[in-house]
């Protein structure tokens, strides 16, 4: 009977630790807006189009992802995309910003998202415009 009790306790421990760990990670990881993927495409006129995917636990008008920014390497905001409504049932969601003129000297950009309650999220993606693929991004150039 002692072994049986140990088995039951072990099973209960495994079950509860998995449930609570999963629940906690989901709530914490998307309470702030997070950039999940960036696609940067150079257009024929030399300008750029950025498609940015964002994940956030949008609840309603009081708490939703309300924008994303493109920053230079010194974290100066170069371009901003305003999101005007919640995406409660569309997660993650992707929005684009086009006709971006990037000076040739800029090779790396940082993309970050924000929500109207917590400001900027912890996860950003650094895009190296000289590299066709990287962690969380792709770049298409016309050279």
């Amino acid at each position: 009977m002692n072994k049986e009790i140990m088995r039951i306790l072990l099973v209960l421990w495994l079950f509860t630790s998995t449930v609570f760990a999963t629940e906690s990670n989901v709530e914490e990881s998307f309470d702030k807006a997070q950039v999940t993927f960036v696609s940067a495409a150079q257009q024929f006129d030399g300008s750029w189009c950025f498609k940015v995917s964002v994940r956030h636990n949008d609840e309603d008008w009081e708490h939703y992802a309300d924008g994303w920014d493109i920053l230079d390497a010194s974290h100066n905001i170069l371009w901003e995309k305003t999101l005007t409504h919640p995406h409660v049932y569309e997660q993650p969601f992707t929005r684009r910003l086009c006709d971006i003129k990037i000076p040739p000297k800029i090779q790396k950009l940082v993309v970050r998202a924000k929500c109207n309650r917590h400001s900027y999220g912890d996860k950003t993606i650094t895009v190296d415009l000289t590299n066709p693929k990287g962690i969380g991004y792709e770049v298409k150039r016309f050279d």
Side-chain angles (χ1 to χ4, degrees):
M1 186 152 130
N2 207 5
K3 287 183 181 180
E4 187 63 29
I5 291 173
M6 292 300 287
R7 278 191 209 140
I8 291 170
L9 289 174
L10 179 62
V11 169
L12 286 173
W13 177 79
L14 288 171
F15 176 76
T16 57
S17 64
T18 304
V19 168
F20 290 123
T22 303
E23 211 172 273
S24 173
N25 290 342
V26 170
E27 289 176 5
E28 289 176 8
S29 63
F30 297 114
D31 201 35
K32 293 182 177 182
Q34 307 292 332
V35 178
T36 60
F37 193 78
V38 177
S39 177
Q42 189 176 35
Q43 307 301 297
F44 290 111
D45 67 357
S47 69
W48 290 81
C49 189
F50 278 70
K51 293 180 184 176
V52 176
S53 296
V54 174
R55 175 81 194 258
H56 179 260
N57 287 336
D58 283 11
E59 296 172 3
D60 51 31
W61 289 94
E62 301 299 318
H63 186 206
Y64 71 96
D66 66 346
W68 49 265
D69 303 332
I70 301 173
L71 315 168
D72 65 13
S74 300
H75 291 99
N76 298 305
I77 297 175
L78 303 176
W79 300 277
E80 297 176 277
K81 174 70 174 179
T82 301
L83 304 170
T84 58
H85 60 88
H87 297 88
V88 176
Y89 302 108
E90 181 188 357
Q91 292 292 328
F93 61 92
T94 303
R95 295 298 179 267
R96 67 184 184 151
L97 183 61
C98 295
D99 299 322
I100 296 173
K101 309 286 189 220
I102 300 175
K105 66 179 181 175
I106 294 180
Q107 295 181 351
K108 291 186 180 180
L109 296 167
V110 177
V111 183
R112 67 180 181 181
K114 65 186 187 83
C115 77
N116 62 348
R117 183 178 293 169
H118 300 107
S119 193
Y120 294 99
D122 302 324
K123 184 177 179 199
T124 62
I125 292 182
T126 301
V127 178
D128 182 348
L129 296 173
T130 65
N131 192 356
K133 285 189 178 188
I135 298 173
Y137 74 89
E138 66 181 4
V139 174
K140 299 173 185 169
R141 296 184 70 101
F142 293 106
D143 290 327

